[in-house]
């Protein structure tokens, strides 16, 4: 049950299955990211700028940031060790 609150992607899926509206979201998986700039463009196109980014495995607002630019996105990626 705790994973329903810790894993935000799972939490949103549960909410949507129960017809509870959620903001537009997407899962950013570090294994799937090949080209950083292209991925940022895809995210910005889908979510619009600014967008909120949050680690999937953190509670509450830990790790939440509002992203306004490619530079902010890249800093977030580096600071959260999403890329090796």
């Amino acid at each position: 049950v705790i994973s329903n609150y810790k894993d935000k992607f799972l939490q949103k899926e549960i909410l949507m299955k129960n017809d509870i509206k959620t903001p537009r979201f997407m899962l950013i998986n570090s294994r799937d990211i090949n080209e950083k700039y292209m991925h940022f463009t895809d995210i910005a196109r889908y979510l619009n700028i600014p967008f909120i980014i949050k680690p999937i495995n953190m509670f509450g607002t830990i790790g939440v940031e509002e992203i306004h630019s490619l530079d902010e996105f890249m800093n977030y990626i580096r600071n959260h060790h999403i890329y090796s």
Side-chain angles (χ1 to χ4, degrees), residues 46-63:
Y46 182 72
L47 298 177
N48 297 319
I49 299 280
F51 59 85
I52 302 296
I53 192 167
K54 181 187 187 314
I56 193 170
N57 60 350
M58 301 294 240
F59 290 104
T61 59
I62 298 170

Side-chain angles (χ1 to χ4, degrees), residues 2-17:
I2 193 75
S3 66
N4 293 351
Y5 299 99
K6 187 176 179 187
D7 183 331
K8 298 303 178 193
F9 193 73
L10 175 61
Q11 184 181 55
K12 289 186 184 310
E13 285 182 333
I14 291 169
L15 291 171
M16 290 183 348
K17 285 179 186 176

Side-chain angles (χ1 to χ4, degrees), residues 8-55:
K8 298 303 178 193
F9 193 73
L10 175 61
Q11 184 181 55
K12 289 186 184 310
E13 285 182 333
I14 291 169
L15 291 171
M16 290 183 348
K17 285 179 186 176
N18 290 289
D19 295 323
I20 298 172
K21 292 184 179 184
T22 62
R24 187 178 293 191
F25 66 95
M26 65 188 303
L27 178 64
I28 300 172
N29 189 329
S30 61
R31 293 182 306 255
D32 296 336
I33 299 172
N34 294 321
E35 192 1 91
K36 300 172 190 177
Y37 297 95
M38 185 60 172
H39 194 65
F40 175 79
T41 303
D42 294 341
I43 295 167
R45 187 176 298 125
Y46 182 72
L47 298 177
N48 297 319
I49 299 280
F51 59 85
I52 302 296
I53 192 167
K54 181 187 187 314

